[in-house]
Amino acid sequence: MKVAPRRAESKGARASPFGAARRLASGAAPAMNRAMRTTPPARPSDDAPAPRWPVMLETPGWRDFALLDSGHGRKLERYGPYRIVRPEAQALWSPRLGEAEWERADAVFTGGKDEEADGRWRYRTPLPETWPMRWRWPDGEVKFLGRFTAFRHVGFFPEQETHWIWFSKLIRDARRPLKVLNLFGYTGIASFVAASAGAQVTHVDASKKAVGWARENQALSGMEELPVRWIVDDAMKFVEREVRRGNRYDGIILDPPKFGRGPKGEVWDIFEHLPEMMRLCRALLSDRALFLLISAYSIRASFMAVHELTAEVLSGLTGTLESGELLIREEGGGRALSTSLFSRWSAGGV
């Protein structure tokens, strides 16, 4: 279920167009991230995933996206040709750029201090309803539409690129048919990446509007032939039915909101419903499952809360469970802004 939408080129990496994000996603973290990672206690048994935390995955930005500055509870970003200003509670520090740079923004989101609350955009000049963007990764390119929404978002979450690269490689390297479930799938970028890597994808979102937006992105990318099955449904009800049907998946992606309502008024509260959702997802993993990934935005919790829940749910599986935060680095190598927490499990050797 999802009502509110939620959610590489590096200037310093000429040899690779994917820079730090690719190195982090593939496990070859730069020195800064190695220093930020501690070693947790050894795994409790041989049939439990080996824990790895904290893992800080960093996105430096790319041609169509950059975090230009942040501070005083705001962030200044570039999305394609437009500069926008949005609230950011994590930005407790002072901006580096002068106020004149911030005043050059094409759009400023006002009101709706809560992540899931409505607000409005103030435009410096008239802007089109949508505009084209693109993201490239080692195996292809996704084109998609940016759009100003009442929930301050514009249609995608750039920090997720580290995850997109990660599961794309897992799917491609498996060299066998795979089924992937994308819950709370929003505008479809994760689904396109997984399908492009070779998986059959089931994309689920409670918002008919979001799924329609995803279909627009699919057409814009010329990916109409990709094996993506589109489902408009409450995520909890869908996975309950899938368990009863005996369906299984080799990979599961979850990007749930903090709070939302389904198409028939179903209520989603991440603190109340996530444990059961995770247990249902465990039941949906196939005997040769490859990965499970969960990201969570705008919740008052440590990544350890999600890590320990995921570790409990995945008891009996081997592989690696790494947890931490997603970061966006300011353009030019400035400060790192934490945007969300995550846990992701990979089977390893499957």
Side-chain angles (χ1 to χ4, degrees):
M1 170 192 326
K2 178 178 359 177
V3 172
R6 297 165 322 278
R7 358 224 178 311
E9 293 184 3
S10 171
K11 291 185 177 180
R14 294 185 181 273
S16 168
F18 304 98
R22 185 176 182 183
R23 294 196 297 274
L24 282 167
S26 64
M32 177 193 71
N33 285 276
R34 288 198 298 269
M36 296 171 72
R37 182 179 296 124
T38 61
T39 302
R43 58 182 178 178
S45 66
D46 291 336
D47 64 347
R52 189 166 172 239
W53 52 262
V55 178
M56 303 299 185
L57 301 183
E58 178 182 319
T59 295
W62 63 90
R63 189 184 70 177
D64 275 4
F65 168 76
L67 175 61
L68 303 175
D69 195 14
S70 58
H72 292 170
R74 302 181 300 166
K75 55 186 175 183
L76 173 64
E77 303 163 289
R78 177 176 50 78
Y79 285 88
Y82 304 121
R83 288 183 167 210
I84 71 173
V85 174
R86 298 189 288 169
E88 179 49 69
Q90 301 270 24
L92 303 177
W93 44 84
S94 299
R96 294 187 303 162
L97 300 178
E99 190 60 28
E101 288 294 318
W102 287 74
E103 291 177 354
R104 289 177 52 204
D106 299 285
V108 178
F109 187 86
T110 60
K113 292 184 178 180
D114 185 86
E115 186 78 8
E116 311 296 341
D118 285 355
R120 62 185 300 271
W121 291 91
R122 176 170 51 83
Y123 304 104
R124 184 164 58 94
T125 59
L127 298 178
E129 179 183 358
T130 64
W131 69 95
M133 296 187 64
R134 65 180 63 193
W135 176 74
R136 295 173 178 172
W137 79 102
D139 297 321
E141 176 183 87
V142 173
K143 297 178 182 179
F144 50 94
L145 294 173
R147 179 178 276 126
F148 296 108
T149 73
F151 296 96
R152 86 182 61 188
H153 305 298
V154 296
F156 78 109
F157 297 86
E159 60 272 29
Q160 289 285 339
E161 72 158 352
T162 59
H163 291 329
W164 299 335
I165 295 171
W166 174 76
F167 64 68
S168 173
K169 185 177 188 302
L170 290 175
I171 293 168
R172 185 183 66 250
D173 291 351
R175 300 182 183 277
R176 59 182 172 90
L178 297 172
K179 293 174 58 180
V180 170
L181 175 62
N182 185 11
L183 296 169
F184 312 96
Y186 196 27
T187 57
I189 299 177
S191 295
F192 303 144
V193 172
S196 296
Q200 295 183 3
V201 179
T202 298
H203 175 110
V204 181
D205 199 291
S207 169
K208 184 176 181 180
K209 186 174 181 179
V211 171
W213 190 348
R215 299 295 295 268
E216 288 184 81
N217 289 337
Q218 185 180 30
L220 185 65
S221 294
M223 294 180 171
E224 294 93 333
E225 302 304 316
L226 285 179
V228 180
R229 177 187 176 209
W230 303 100
I231 305 292
V232 178
D233 200 355
D234 175 78
M236 184 72 81
K237 288 186 175 179
F238 178 82
V239 296
E240 288 172 345
R241 287 196 302 272
E242 288 293 89
V243 170
R244 291 196 297 269
R245 292 166 181 155
N247 289 334
R248 297 293 181 267
Y249 295 89
D250 304 296
I252 299 178
I253 303 165
L254 304 94
D255 193 10
K258 178 175 61 176
F259 179 84
R261 292 187 183 275
K264 296 182 180 180
E266 304 93 339
V267 175
W268 166 268
D269 182 289
I270 195 168
F271 289 103
E272 182 178 350
H273 298 115
L274 184 61
E276 179 62 17
M277 170 66 80
M278 293 294 286
R279 284 188 282 270
L280 290 167
C281 286
R282 172 64 179 91
L284 289 177
L285 289 175
S286 71
D287 292 339
R288 300 181 66 196
L290 201 63
F291 70 90
L292 183 146
L293 162 66
I294 176 170
S295 300
Y297 290 78
S298 304
I299 67 173
R300 297 181 182 277
S302 164
F303 71 82
M304 285 304 299
V306 176
H307 175 88
E308 295 296 358
L309 170 62
T310 308
E312 176 184 272
V313 167
L314 297 180
S315 177
L317 296 178
T318 56
T320 302
L321 175 63
E322 55 183 11
S323 303
E325 299 180 11
L326 298 182
L327 313 175
I328 299 178
R329 179 70 58 180
E330 288 179 350
E331 188 175 56
R335 296 162 299 201
L337 176 66
S338 176
T339 63
S340 62
L341 51 89
F342 75 92
S343 284
R344 64 187 194 183
W345 165 78
S346 60
V350 175

